[in-house]
Amino acid sequence: GAGVSQTPSNKVTEKGKYVELRCDPISGHTALYWYRQSLGQGPEFLIYFQGTGAADDSGLPNDRFFAVRPEGSVSTLKIQRTERGDSAVYLCASSPTGSGIQYFGAGTRLSVL
Amino acid sequence: DAKTTQPPSMDCAEGRAANLPCNHSTISGNEYVYWYRQIHSQGPQYIIHGLKNNETNEMASLIITEDRKSSTLILPHATLRDTAVYYCIGPDSGNTGKLIFGQGTTLQVKP
């Protein structure tokens, strides 16, 4: 079956612009996670959804970052007033129940010029 | 959150077993240890997890010491496609399932 899909695969933007990154989880998975991975580092947790609600957003670095999952399926990570330091690969993962077994997408590579 | 420690890199000859160690001395009695790997330019891939008994699946085996302070991931017959960064991950203390990745071990399988 289909895995986790993330679009776009690459996004280039200019400093100060707004971007949206999309994640389509595996059908039926109630849990959805966003992570960010900088070059040479392990992924870093950003936010966790259980259904439509953000159950843990402790990893969001500041209020420029926001994520939604309005119908409990597709999620969008939104970044306002992008900065060069936001350049990274943004990974999405889904899980049937919110456990440590997660299925990751290939990520969106964001480059802020 | 349980902290894990892994060597930064390891080499393995193709066809031989790859044994990847991990220390997780702060893990508590009912917390699982998870292993993931990340092949270049891909998202992380779940491999295996365990609590206190040894585990085996089609990808790997996981040996956990009796005191649960360390574990070893075993790839029984490494292939070139097993070249990746391997992450040993302790659980999130808030029970949300979020994964706290460290630096992992870069395994290079050589012909």
Side-chain angles (χ1 to χ4, degrees), chain B residues 26-47:
Chain B
T26 61
I27 200 169
S28 51
N30 60 348
E31 294 175 333
Y32 286 84
V33 174
Y34 293 84
W35 283 81
Y36 278 74
R37 73 179 182 184
Q38 188 171 25
I39 295 168
H40 183 61
S41 296
Q42 297 183 20
Q45 176 191 24
Y46 165 78
I47 302 174

Side-chain angles (χ1 to χ4, degrees), chain A residues 17-113:
Chain A
K17 299 290 188 182
Y18 168 83
V19 297
E20 289 189 351
L21 311 179
R22 177 187 168 105
C23 173
D24 281 87
I26 293 172
S27 178
H29 282 194
T30 60
L32 186 145
Y33 302 82
W34 284 97
Y35 297 83
R36 176 170 72 172
Q37 186 170 26
S38 300
L39 193 63
Q41 305 295 316
E44 174 191 24
F45 168 78
L46 295 176
I47 187 169
Y48 157 57
F49 287 91
Q50 182 58 251
T52 61
D56 183 349
D57 64 358
S58 61
L60 295 177
N62 51 59
D63 61 6
R64 295 187 298 106
F65 288 75
F66 189 70
V68 296
R69 195 185 185 201
E71 298 178 356
S73 178
V74 171
S75 177
T76 305
L77 179 66
K78 308 180 180 195
I79 310 174
Q80 297 178 319
R81 305 182 303 280
T82 52
E83 300 177 357
R84 293 195 179 87
D86 298 335
S87 296
V89 175
Y90 289 81
L91 294 160
C92 176
S94 71
S95 174
T97 57
S99 73
I101 301 175
Q102 298 173 19
Y103 300 85
F104 282 79
T108 293
R109 181 175 298 279
L110 176 66
S111 300
V112 182
L113 305 180

Side-chain angles (χ1 to χ4, degrees), chain B residues 46-67:
Chain B
Y46 165 78
I47 302 174
I48 197 167
H49 73 288
L51 184 61
K52 54 184 175 182
N53 297 318
N54 298 339
E55 302 288 345
T56 296
N57 63 20
E58 65 277 5
M59 291 184 67
S61 295
L62 178 61
I63 308 297
I64 303 174
T65 57
E66 192 168 341
D67 63 8

